[in-house]
Short mmCIF file of all heavy atoms in Angstrom, two decimals:
data_model
loop_
_atom_site.label_atom_id
_atom_site.label_comp_id
_atom_site.label_asym_id
_atom_site.label_seq_id
_atom_site.Cartn_x
_atom_site.Cartn_y
_atom_site.Cartn_z
N ALA A 19 76.39 61.83 58.97
CA ALA A 19 75.20 62.34 59.64
C ALA A 19 75.19 63.86 59.48
O ALA A 19 76.23 64.47 59.16
CB ALA A 19 75.17 61.96 61.11
N ASP A 20 74.04 64.47 59.66
CA ASP A 20 73.97 65.93 59.62
C ASP A 20 74.79 66.52 60.76
O ASP A 20 74.78 66.00 61.89
CB ASP A 20 72.52 66.39 59.75
CG ASP A 20 71.67 66.03 58.54
OD1 ASP A 20 72.24 65.87 57.44
OD2 ASP A 20 70.44 65.91 58.70
N TRP A 21 75.49 67.61 60.46
CA TRP A 21 76.29 68.29 61.47
C TRP A 21 75.64 69.64 61.74
O TRP A 21 75.65 70.53 60.90
CB TRP A 21 77.72 68.47 60.97
CG TRP A 21 78.66 69.10 61.98
CD1 TRP A 21 78.39 69.39 63.27
CD2 TRP A 21 80.02 69.47 61.75
NE1 TRP A 21 79.49 69.93 63.89
CE2 TRP A 21 80.51 70.00 62.98
CE3 TRP A 21 80.86 69.43 60.65
CZ2 TRP A 21 81.81 70.48 63.11
CZ3 TRP A 21 82.16 69.90 60.78
CH2 TRP A 21 82.64 70.42 62.00
N GLU A 22 75.05 69.77 62.92
CA GLU A 22 74.38 71.01 63.30
C GLU A 22 75.13 71.67 64.45
O GLU A 22 75.75 71.00 65.28
CB GLU A 22 72.93 70.73 63.72
CG GLU A 22 72.10 70.12 62.60
CD GLU A 22 70.64 70.00 62.98
OE1 GLU A 22 70.27 70.44 64.08
OE2 GLU A 22 69.87 69.46 62.17
N SER A 23 75.08 73.00 64.46
CA SER A 23 75.76 73.74 65.53
C SER A 23 75.21 73.28 66.87
O SER A 23 74.00 73.23 67.07
CB SER A 23 75.56 75.24 65.35
OG SER A 23 74.18 75.55 65.31
N SER A 24 76.10 72.95 67.78
CA SER A 24 75.69 72.35 69.04
C SER A 24 75.84 73.27 70.24
O SER A 24 75.47 72.90 71.34
CB SER A 24 76.50 71.07 69.29
OG SER A 24 77.89 71.36 69.27
N TYR A 25 76.38 74.46 70.04
CA TYR A 25 76.55 75.41 71.14
C TYR A 25 75.80 76.70 70.81
O TYR A 25 76.38 77.76 70.67
CB TYR A 25 78.03 75.72 71.36
CG TYR A 25 78.87 74.50 71.66
CD1 TYR A 25 79.60 73.88 70.65
CD2 TYR A 25 78.90 73.95 72.93
CE1 TYR A 25 80.37 72.76 70.92
CE2 TYR A 25 79.66 72.84 73.21
CZ TYR A 25 80.40 72.24 72.20
OH TYR A 25 81.15 71.12 72.46
N GLY A 26 74.51 76.58 70.65
CA GLY A 26 73.71 77.74 70.25
C GLY A 26 73.88 77.98 68.77
O GLY A 26 73.19 77.40 67.95
N THR A 27 74.85 78.83 68.43
CA THR A 27 75.11 79.11 67.00
C THR A 27 76.53 78.72 66.62
O THR A 27 77.00 79.08 65.56
CB THR A 27 74.92 80.62 66.73
OG1 THR A 27 75.92 81.37 67.45
CG2 THR A 27 73.54 81.08 67.12
N ARG A 28 77.22 77.96 67.47
CA ARG A 28 78.62 77.63 67.26
C ARG A 28 78.80 76.16 66.92
O ARG A 28 78.11 75.30 67.43
CB ARG A 28 79.44 77.96 68.52
CG ARG A 28 79.34 79.41 68.94
CD ARG A 28 79.91 79.65 70.34
NE ARG A 28 81.31 79.24 70.41
CZ ARG A 28 81.76 78.28 71.24
NH1 ARG A 28 80.91 77.64 72.03
NH2 ARG A 28 83.04 77.98 71.26
N PHE A 29 79.79 75.88 66.03
CA PHE A 29 80.12 74.50 65.70
C PHE A 29 81.15 73.92 66.66
O PHE A 29 81.23 72.70 66.82
CB PHE A 29 80.65 74.41 64.27
CG PHE A 29 79.59 74.56 63.22
CD1 PHE A 29 79.46 75.74 62.53
CD2 PHE A 29 78.71 73.53 62.93
CE1 PHE A 29 78.48 75.90 61.55
CE2 PHE A 29 77.73 73.67 61.97
CZ PHE A 29 77.61 74.85 61.28
N GLY A 30 81.98 74.75 67.26
CA GLY A 30 82.98 74.22 68.17
C GLY A 30 84.08 75.22 68.44
O GLY A 30 83.97 76.41 68.09
N SER A 31 85.16 74.75 69.06
CA SER A 31 86.30 75.61 69.37
C SER A 31 87.59 74.86 69.09
O SER A 31 87.61 73.62 68.99
CB SER A 31 86.25 76.05 70.84
OG SER A 31 86.30 74.91 71.69
N GLY A 32 88.66 75.60 68.93
CA GLY A 32 89.95 75.00 68.63
C GLY A 32 90.52 75.58 67.36
O GLY A 32 90.03 76.57 66.80
N GLU A 33 91.59 74.95 66.86
CA GLU A 33 92.30 75.48 65.68
C GLU A 33 91.41 75.51 64.43
O GLU A 33 91.61 76.33 63.54
CB GLU A 33 93.55 74.63 65.40
CG GLU A 33 94.43 75.19 64.31
CD GLU A 33 95.66 74.34 64.06
OE1 GLU A 33 95.88 73.37 64.80
OE2 GLU A 33 96.40 74.65 63.10
N GLY A 34 90.42 74.63 64.38
CA GLY A 34 89.59 74.54 63.19
C GLY A 34 88.42 75.50 63.17
O GLY A 34 87.60 75.44 62.25
N PHE A 35 88.37 76.42 64.15
CA PHE A 35 87.21 77.32 64.24
C PHE A 35 87.68 78.76 64.41
O PHE A 35 88.77 79.02 64.93
CB PHE A 35 86.31 76.89 65.40
CG PHE A 35 85.82 75.48 65.29
CD1 PHE A 35 86.57 74.45 65.84
CD2 PHE A 35 84.67 75.17 64.60
CE1 PHE A 35 86.16 73.12 65.72
CE2 PHE A 35 84.24 73.86 64.47
CZ PHE A 35 84.98 72.83 65.03
N ILE A 36 86.85 79.68 63.97
CA ILE A 36 87.17 81.10 64.02
C ILE A 36 85.90 81.88 64.35
O ILE A 36 84.79 81.36 64.17
CB ILE A 36 87.77 81.56 62.66
CG1 ILE A 36 88.44 82.93 62.76
CG2 ILE A 36 86.70 81.55 61.57
CD1 ILE A 36 89.16 83.33 61.47
N TYR A 37 86.06 83.11 64.81
CA TYR A 37 84.90 83.97 65.12
C TYR A 37 83.87 83.26 66.00
O TYR A 37 82.69 83.19 65.69
CB TYR A 37 84.24 84.46 63.83
CG TYR A 37 85.13 85.26 62.94
CD1 TYR A 37 85.23 84.95 61.58
CD2 TYR A 37 85.89 86.32 63.43
CE1 TYR A 37 86.06 85.68 60.75
CE2 TYR A 37 86.74 87.04 62.59
CZ TYR A 37 86.82 86.73 61.26
OH TYR A 37 87.65 87.43 60.44
N ASP A 38 84.38 82.70 67.10
CA ASP A 38 83.49 82.09 68.09
C ASP A 38 82.63 80.98 67.51
O ASP A 38 81.41 80.95 67.66
CB ASP A 38 82.60 83.16 68.74
CG ASP A 38 81.89 82.64 69.98
OD1 ASP A 38 82.45 81.74 70.63
OD2 ASP A 38 80.78 83.13 70.27
N GLY A 39 83.30 80.07 66.77
CA GLY A 39 82.58 78.86 66.40
C GLY A 39 82.29 78.65 64.93
O GLY A 39 81.56 77.72 64.57
N VAL A 40 82.84 79.48 64.02
CA VAL A 40 82.63 79.30 62.58
C VAL A 40 83.66 78.29 62.06
O VAL A 40 84.84 78.35 62.41
CB VAL A 40 82.79 80.63 61.82
CG1 VAL A 40 82.63 80.43 60.32
CG2 VAL A 40 81.78 81.65 62.34
N LEU A 41 83.22 77.35 61.21
CA LEU A 41 84.17 76.43 60.58
C LEU A 41 85.20 77.22 59.78
O LEU A 41 84.83 78.06 58.96
CB LEU A 41 83.42 75.47 59.64
CG LEU A 41 82.52 74.42 60.28
CD1 LEU A 41 81.78 73.65 59.20
CD2 LEU A 41 83.33 73.47 61.13
N ASN A 42 86.49 76.91 60.00
CA ASN A 42 87.56 77.68 59.38
C ASN A 42 88.49 76.77 58.58
O ASN A 42 88.81 75.66 59.02
CB ASN A 42 88.36 78.43 60.45
CG ASN A 42 89.42 79.33 59.84
OD1 ASN A 42 89.16 80.00 58.84
ND2 ASN A 42 90.61 79.35 60.43
N VAL A 43 88.90 77.26 57.41
CA VAL A 43 89.97 76.62 56.64
C VAL A 43 91.15 77.59 56.68
O VAL A 43 91.16 78.59 55.98
CB VAL A 43 89.54 76.33 55.19
CG1 VAL A 43 90.70 75.69 54.42
CG2 VAL A 43 88.31 75.42 55.16
N PRO A 44 92.16 77.31 57.51
CA PRO A 44 93.25 78.27 57.70
C PRO A 44 94.18 78.33 56.49
O PRO A 44 94.17 77.46 55.61
CB PRO A 44 93.98 77.72 58.93
CG PRO A 44 93.09 76.69 59.52
CD PRO A 44 92.28 76.16 58.40
N SER A 45 95.02 79.35 56.49
CA SER A 45 96.03 79.50 55.45
C SER A 45 96.97 78.30 55.46
O SER A 45 97.34 77.78 56.52
CB SER A 45 96.84 80.78 55.69
OG SER A 45 97.85 80.92 54.72
N GLY A 46 97.32 77.84 54.26
CA GLY A 46 98.24 76.71 54.16
C GLY A 46 97.57 75.36 54.24
O GLY A 46 98.25 74.33 54.18
N HIS A 47 96.27 75.31 54.39
CA HIS A 47 95.55 74.05 54.49
C HIS A 47 94.61 73.86 53.29
O HIS A 47 94.00 74.83 52.80
CB HIS A 47 94.71 74.00 55.76
CG HIS A 47 95.53 73.89 57.01
ND1 HIS A 47 95.75 72.70 57.67
CD2 HIS A 47 96.19 74.84 57.71
CE1 HIS A 47 96.50 72.91 58.72
NE2 HIS A 47 96.79 74.21 58.77
N GLU A 48 94.50 72.63 52.84
CA GLU A 48 93.54 72.26 51.80
C GLU A 48 92.62 71.18 52.37
O GLU A 48 93.08 70.07 52.68
CB GLU A 48 94.23 71.74 50.54
CG GLU A 48 93.25 71.37 49.44
CD GLU A 48 93.92 70.98 48.13
OE1 GLU A 48 95.16 71.04 48.07
OE2 GLU A 48 93.19 70.60 47.18
#
């Protein structure tokens, strides 16, 4: 399904996110 930002302009929070809700691919991960 389409994935749209659900917190205003944010996708979420946690290890997978950076800069207040940007999808992040951290170092060491593929």
Side-chain angles (χ1 to χ4, degrees):
D20 292 335
W21 183 6
E22 299 186 4
S23 57
S24 56
Y25 302 98
T27 65
R28 302 168 59 241
F29 286 104
S31 60
E33 187 180 355
F35 303 90
I36 195 174
Y37 300 130
D38 193 29
V40 178
L41 290 175
N42 184 41
V43 179
S45 178
H47 290 261
E48 181 175 358

